[in-house]
Amino acid sequence: MVKKMEKKYIPLESFFAEAAQNEVILTYTAIENIVGQPLPNAAYLNSSWWKKTKPPATHFLAWMNADYTIKEIDLGRSVTFIKETDEINVGQSSSANPENILIIRPVDLDDARAIIHLQQDIDTESDFMLFGKDERKMSVQSIRKRIGEWKKSDNSRMFVGILNGEFAGFAALVTGPSPRASHRASIVVGVRKAYYGKSVGTSLMTKAEAWAHEVGISRLELTVIENNEPALALYKKLGYNVEGTRNNSLLINGDYINELYMAKNIQKATT
């Protein structure tokens, strides 16, 4: 039975809606990553918080709407959820570990430290980002300020991809600097190497485009290093076209590298 639930737990509800296992174990950290906010103190101190099944609290609907109940609680560490079913479906996984459940949500203030680690890892793992290892200067305060600006903006946003409770990638959209350029947005996407081949980049791009459509953005732009063949293939698959070359635009490991300008015109949202 679906009931109205606290807004902050909607991403957790989406996670369980995608879960196929009869039993799922999530750490507290994974749950907080999915939700984007810390769990309340009661969740750390009292097992009863997890076992609630009646209002006024409605957090339990995040898993109960998908027919999961609480099996076991290791306070402060992990929670085991089990699916209520009279019969086990043939072929249904019995593994306790989530299997590639990806949640895409807007970044929140409490994500600041995780965003720093995410971007640092991506910069270290790839030579295809604007910044290299240890070149990007970030602090929790500066990232929180930027996230606050995104949350207040009507046409700029950052999304994070949470795969099985772990930060896997991000997509940032920033609109033009003037009213005449407000219909276009630049998009930057990054994915941790451990999550390559799991559709994280595709899902982030798709979510960003859907949101851009909703807010009336009609043109998306990006740049990609000329020899970044996997990214170039992905962008072309998603409908982006090469519009020009920026010769010798980056200096990476002592070599001058060309960037390609790519763009996609999307139908402007109707009112």
Side-chain angles (χ1 to χ4, degrees):
M1 180 173 60
V2 179
K3 299 177 182 179
K4 187 174 181 180
M5 182 182 51
E6 296 167 71
K7 186 177 180 180
K8 65 181 286 186
Y9 295 108
I10 290 177
L12 188 59
E13 180 186 42
S14 299
F15 175 92
F16 280 106
E18 296 292 328
Q21 295 81 10
N22 291 317
E23 185 175 299
V24 175
I25 299 174
L26 290 176
T27 65
Y28 274 52
T29 298
I31 295 172
E32 291 177 335
N33 286 346
I34 293 168
V35 173
Q37 300 180 40
L39 288 165
N41 289 336
Y44 281 85
L45 300 175
N46 303 307
S47 296
S48 60
W49 186 89
W50 294 99
K51 295 179 179 180
K52 287 182 181 294
T53 58
K54 295 181 181 180
T58 55
H59 57 275
F60 55 85
L61 294 173
W63 51 87
M64 290 190 69
N65 281 343
D67 297 325
Y68 280 90
T69 58
I70 302 297
K71 177 183 178 181
E72 186 177 351
I73 304 160
D74 186 358
L75 274 178
R77 295 182 178 86
S78 66
V79 182
T80 302
F81 302 85
I82 190 168
K83 198 169 186 70
E84 288 186 324
T85 179
D86 294 330
E87 57 183 54
I88 299 176
N89 296 328
V90 176
Q92 187 178 43
S93 173
S94 59
S95 170
N97 297 317
E99 294 184 353
N100 295 337
I101 300 175
L102 179 64
I103 301 299
I104 306 291
R105 61 168 176 77
V107 70
D108 214 329
L109 292 172
D110 290 306
D111 294 322
R113 194 174 300 278
I115 292 298
I116 290 175
H117 294 316
L118 175 65
Q119 292 191 321
Q120 286 176 337
D121 286 351
I122 294 171
D123 290 342
T124 298
E125 295 169 348
S126 174
D127 277 335
F128 296 132
M129 302 301 289
L130 180 61
F131 291 88
K133 181 180 179 181
D134 298 328
E135 292 179 352
R136 195 189 300 262
K137 305 305 178 184
M138 298 176 287
S139 67
V140 172
Q141 183 179 4
S142 66
I143 295 300
R144 283 179 63 89
K145 180 180 178 181
R146 188 67 184 274
I147 292 173
E149 293 170 351
W150 271 317
K151 289 173 68 69
K152 293 177 182 178
S153 174
D154 293 328
N155 49 18
S156 293
R157 196 60 49 96
M158 184 179 191
F159 296 94
V160 289
I162 311 295
L163 186 67
N164 301 335
E166 300 292 335
F167 280 79
F170 72 90
L173 279 164
V174 180
T175 52
S178 69
R180 292 183 177 185
S182 62
H183 67 287
R184 73 176 192 233
S186 298
I187 182 170
V188 177
V189 178
V191 177
R192 274 191 169 119
K193 192 172 183 178
Y195 303 106
Y196 286 1
K198 299 183 183 297
S199 299
V200 176
T202 300
S203 298
L204 284 164
M205 294 283 290
T206 301
K207 176 65 175 181
E209 181 176 331
W211 180 82
H213 185 279
E214 289 176 5
V215 299
I217 294 171
S218 60
R219 177 179 168 86
L220 296 176
E221 302 175 338
L222 58 85
T223 60
V224 58
I225 290 177
E226 191 174 48
N227 61 349
N228 187 353
E229 296 180 1
L232 187 57
L234 170 62
Y235 300 149
K236 287 182 176 179
K237 180 181 178 180
L238 293 175
Y240 286 79
N241 297 309
V242 176
E243 296 188 340
T245 302
R246 194 176 184 182
N247 294 315
N248 297 340
S249 63
L250 296 175
L251 182 61
I252 300 176
N253 298 326
D255 296 321
Y256 288 103
I257 305 295
N258 298 340
E259 284 183 293
L260 300 178
Y261 280 114
M262 301 188 75
K264 179 179 182 179
N265 292 311
I266 61 177
Q267 183 180 358
K268 190 171 182 179
T270 58
T271 57

